[in-house]
Amino acid sequence: MKLFDDVSNFTASPKIYGVLFLISFFGYMFFNQAISITDPVESNYALTAKEMVLSADWVSPRIYGNVWFDKPILFYWLTALSFQLFGFSEWAARLAPALFAAVGVVLLYWFVSKTNTRRSALLAVVIMGTSFEYILLAKLVITDMVFFVFNCAALGFFYLGYVKMDGTKRWYLAAYVSMALAVLTKGPIGVLLPTLVMLLVILLQRNWTELKEMYLLTGVLLFAIVALPWYAAMYTLHGMEFINNFFGVHNYLRATVSEHPKDNVSYYYLAVFVLSMLPWSALAVKALIQGYKDLRSRKSPLLLFLFLWITAYFGFYSLMATKYLTYTFPILFPVAILTAIQLERMLAQGKTKEIFYWIGVPAALLMVGYMIAAYRYLAGWELGLATAGLLLFLVFSVWKARNRTAVDVFKLLCLCQLGSYIILSLFIFPAIAESRSGKEIAKSMVDLGVEKIGMYQFYSTSAVFYSGKVAIKLIPSSEVTFRQAKELDWSSKYTMPTQGIVEFGAKPPLSDRLIIVRGKQREQFLLETARFNYQLLKDSKGLSYYSIKE
């Protein structure tokens, strides 16, 4: 492997983009067919895309047969198109995130090779592409990876236009289109945050004349042509219901009222950053500190741009009421670049021990975390094989790192990352997904041959996705009244069919109704339905299946 010893020959050919894309794409798609669709998030996107195909309505996203205003249309289009071409499967559902993850890798390499050295571009790709959050979101059926690509493309194109890369400012036009696609993926935030970064760059450099060269009128027109037709169509079809739900609940409410109050802690995104960048977290912190020192000692448009990008996203989402693990995901792009610059410097200086400690120790801790996950979710030969593999890579890396050059140690750590990823994809990811999926519930729903189904005080959307049978969630009647009384409330985002428990208890459901109960709620269910003659049909994996006796 002379990849990091003499990268110039390897990267001189345009074929590098195709090679990076193919390696990344097939890597992120590896064993995806074995990873079940999980609750509560993935299943919403998968089911909505499935209903889009079945209903042939490619304008209004639907779930449980009802129009759903949670996210814009683009991710649903991508997933629905995959279903249309390849069928309703885990592999097809995970195609779009993996595809865009590969595009993100190529985008990063292309941007860094234009603004820095080719070696730092390749290092940045390795850092971002193997970081824990990037690997995870490359496989999850959610909008974040697609949004990441358009978001980073918008800011990347802006910077190239700002510094007049290749002697032209037409990069700005690509930035406007990228922001429009981001808005079609995740909403107004797709234009708000990139615009904030752009304005901060211009403000701090007092370069107001740049606004005249940004093709503002043409750019706004391009943005409108790409982004607005779907929004206009939704307003035409659904009127104020679309405005109140999409902009009210899913945007305004998200910013002002916390959906998960327990996450409202000052260190939330610091902890997310450490986890998301593993095993590069320690080196990334070192790179941020060194990069800030470099920025203070010399004027660098690239360093200023990268730090403003990180600060704007980190600060904005820290101020928002609702916090999610994936909100600050786009900062991995600039952080990977800064970390690559630091790593390139360390490799050039031959700092073997520093590289081993700054990368190897976090990598070892990450492997320990994988072993803990293996013990929790695996059993039998799978547990033994996964644990042995992780331990083997851990011991092998420590043993082989002795008396090696900095480049040798780095390549060894990359090899260990590859081995860990293979074990994750083969064993740990599928086991975790199975524990969070309703695939087994769906199988029981189909095998029992009952059409009318109720889920007692829980709901599995993935069971609906796999079975094709829409169940009713049985909830307290007070909760039904509360949902009807308030429009702008988090409860309004849940659109599954519901029925009050008191209403349900007043008279027995139809004889062909199947009731699914979690083990911890079984006693309460039997107490509330004591007047009716329910029989247990099946107990499986902590779930009980009941029907009323004839």
Side-chain angles (χ1 to χ4, degrees):
M1 288 178 60
K2 296 184 178 181
L3 189 59
F4 298 103
D5 300 308
D6 183 15
V7 74
S8 57
N9 291 333
F10 181 77
T11 57
S13 170
K15 291 181 181 178
I16 179 62
Y17 298 110
V19 171
L20 282 175
F21 175 81
L22 291 175
I23 291 175
S24 302
F25 175 67
F26 288 111
Y28 294 131
M29 284 298 294
F30 178 65
F31 220 61
N32 275 2
Q33 72 278 4
I35 304 176
S36 304
I37 303 298
T38 62
D39 291 316
V41 181
E42 283 191 307
S43 52
N44 287 322
Y45 293 108
L47 181 59
T48 302
K50 181 179 181 179
E51 291 195 23
M52 182 172 284
V53 174
L54 295 177
S55 67
D57 183 352
W58 292 75
V59 177
S60 302
R62 297 178 184 276
I63 191 167
Y64 318 114
N66 303 314
V67 178
W68 200 36
F69 304 108
D70 181 60
K71 290 291 187 294
I73 197 66
L74 187 54
F75 185 77
Y76 299 128
W77 276 343
L78 293 170
T79 309
L81 180 61
S82 182
F83 284 155
Q84 186 89 52
L85 294 174
F86 304 110
F88 302 119
S89 66
E90 294 91 350
W91 188 92
R94 301 187 188 283
L95 179 60
L99 180 67
F100 274 79
V103 172
V105 166
V106 174
L107 175 68
L108 177 64
Y109 181 85
W110 175 78
F111 178 79
V112 181
S113 63
K114 278 189 168 294
T115 57
N116 212 290
T117 67
R118 289 192 176 112
R119 189 175 190 180
S120 63
L122 191 60
L123 292 174
V125 161
V126 172
I127 290 166
M128 185 185 77
T130 61
S131 63
F132 181 71
E133 188 174 25
Y134 201 85
I135 287 174
L136 193 61
L137 295 186
K139 289 181 171 292
L140 289 183
V141 189
I142 54 178
T143 60
D144 292 275
M145 186 57 77
V146 177
F147 178 73
F148 173 91
V149 170
F150 292 134
N151 204 281
C152 295
L155 285 168
F157 288 134
F158 160 77
Y159 180 78
L160 296 181
Y162 187 77
V163 298
K164 206 173 182 180
M165 183 65 64
D166 298 334
T168 179
K169 289 187 175 291
R170 294 188 181 275
W171 299 107
Y172 284 133
L173 300 178
Y176 293 121
V177 174
S178 298
M179 283 191 288
L181 293 170
V183 168
L184 277 178
T185 303
K186 212 165 184 177
I189 203 71
V191 65
L192 177 62
L193 279 178
T195 300
L196 175 62
V197 176
M198 296 173 191
L199 290 176
L200 286 174
V201 171
I202 292 172
L203 173 65
L204 289 183
Q205 294 200 321
R206 298 179 180 179
N207 189 12
W208 300 110
T209 57
E210 187 67 20
L211 292 172
K212 298 178 181 179
E213 301 184 41
M214 291 180 65
Y215 303 103
L216 286 175
L217 291 178
T218 305
V220 170
L221 180 61
L222 276 174
F223 178 90
I225 290 173
V226 175
L228 294 187
W230 177 78
Y231 285 89
M234 288 295 286
Y235 179 72
T236 301
L237 292 170
H238 308 289
M240 288 306 297
E241 183 184 6
F242 170 65
I243 301 296
N244 292 335
N245 277 274
F246 181 81
F247 292 101
V249 174
H250 297 288
N251 286 275
Y252 172 76
L253 195 66
R254 197 177 298 275
T256 57
V257 179
S258 178
E259 186 178 3
H260 311 108
K262 63 182 177 61
D263 293 335
N264 285 348
V265 292
S266 58
Y267 55 84
Y268 183 84
Y269 286 119
L270 290 174
V272 169
F273 172 77
V274 172
L275 290 173
S276 66
M277 283 299 298
L278 282 172
W280 312 99
S281 305
L283 184 63
V285 172
K286 179 179 177 64
L288 288 169
I289 295 172
Q290 184 59 51
Y292 180 70
K293 291 178 181 178
D294 293 342
L295 181 61
R296 294 190 65 181
S297 63
R298 61 186 176 89
K299 292 184 178 180
S300 168
L302 179 62
L303 286 179
L304 176 64
F305 170 66
L306 296 176
F307 272 97
L308 287 177
W309 181 342
I310 295 167
T311 303
Y313 279 65
F314 200 92
F316 179 86
Y317 284 119
S318 295
L319 293 174
M320 281 189 65
T322 298
K323 292 178 171 58
Y324 275 125
L325 292 170
T326 60
Y327 276 177
T328 54
F329 178 50
I331 72 171
L332 262 66
F333 195 96
V335 169
I337 297 173
L338 292 169
T339 308
I341 294 171
Q342 176 66 29
L343 180 57
E344 184 181 19
R345 185 181 302 166
M346 293 167 70
L347 288 170
Q349 295 171 354
K351 294 185 176 181
T352 305
K353 288 185 178 180
E354 285 194 31
I355 289 174
F356 182 77
Y357 291 130
W358 285 96
I359 305 173
V361 173
L365 293 175
L366 185 60
M367 284 190 186
V368 171
Y370 291 160
M371 285 189 280
I372 293 172
Y375 273 95
R376 180 175 179 182
Y377 292 101
L378 299 177
W381 68 271
E382 290 182 330
L383 174 61
L385 189 58
T387 306
L390 288 168
L391 283 172
L392 180 63
F393 279 113
L394 187 59
V395 173
F396 175 75
S397 63
V398 174
W399 177 68
K400 290 289 288 183
R402 298 176 304 167
N403 303 320
R404 298 284 176 171
T405 67
V407 173
D408 289 336
V409 170
F410 176 68
K411 289 191 289 188
L412 179 62
L413 292 171
C414 291
L415 181 63
C416 289
Q417 271 289 93
L418 175 61
S420 298
Y421 174 72
I422 291 172
I423 291 173
L424 271 178
S425 299
L426 286 176
F427 301 109
I428 299 176
F429 280 160
I432 294 175
E434 183 181 359
S435 71
R436 297 171 179 268
S437 176
K439 190 172 184 177
E440 284 297 317
I441 300 177
K443 186 176 184 303
S444 296
M445 289 163 61
V446 173
D447 290 346
L448 291 171
V450 180
E451 293 301 319
K452 295 186 178 181
I453 301 162
M455 296 181 184
Y456 183 74
Q457 297 202 43
F458 84 102
Y459 202 83
S460 173
T461 303
S462 60
V464 178
F465 170 79
Y466 282 112
S467 68
K469 299 174 182 288
V470 178
I472 292 175
K473 182 180 182 181
L474 303 173
I475 61 175
S477 293
S478 59
E479 190 175 331
V480 176
T481 304
F482 178 77
R483 291 185 183 187
Q484 292 172 345
K486 288 191 173 185
E487 288 186 7
L488 201 61
D489 185 85
W490 278 119
S491 60
S492 61
K493 71 174 286 189
Y494 303 106
T495 59
M496 74 280 288
T498 59
Q499 184 174 325
I501 293 174
V502 173
E503 176 189 349
F504 158 67
K507 59 181 180 179
L510 298 176
S511 59
D512 60 353
R513 175 66 55 85
L514 174 71
I515 310 296
I516 307 173
V517 185
R518 284 177 170 171
K520 60 183 179 181
Q521 295 162 333
R522 179 175 176 176
E523 185 176 344
Q524 182 182 354
F525 169 76
L526 293 174
L527 182 64
E528 291 185 359
T529 60
R531 75 185 78 175
F532 308 123
N533 197 13
Y534 276 92
Q535 64 175 339
L536 178 64
L537 299 179
K538 178 181 179 181
D539 260 331
S540 176
K541 297 185 178 181
L543 293 166
S544 300
Y545 299 81
Y546 291 92
S547 71
I548 196 167
K549 289 183 178 179
E550 295 288 349

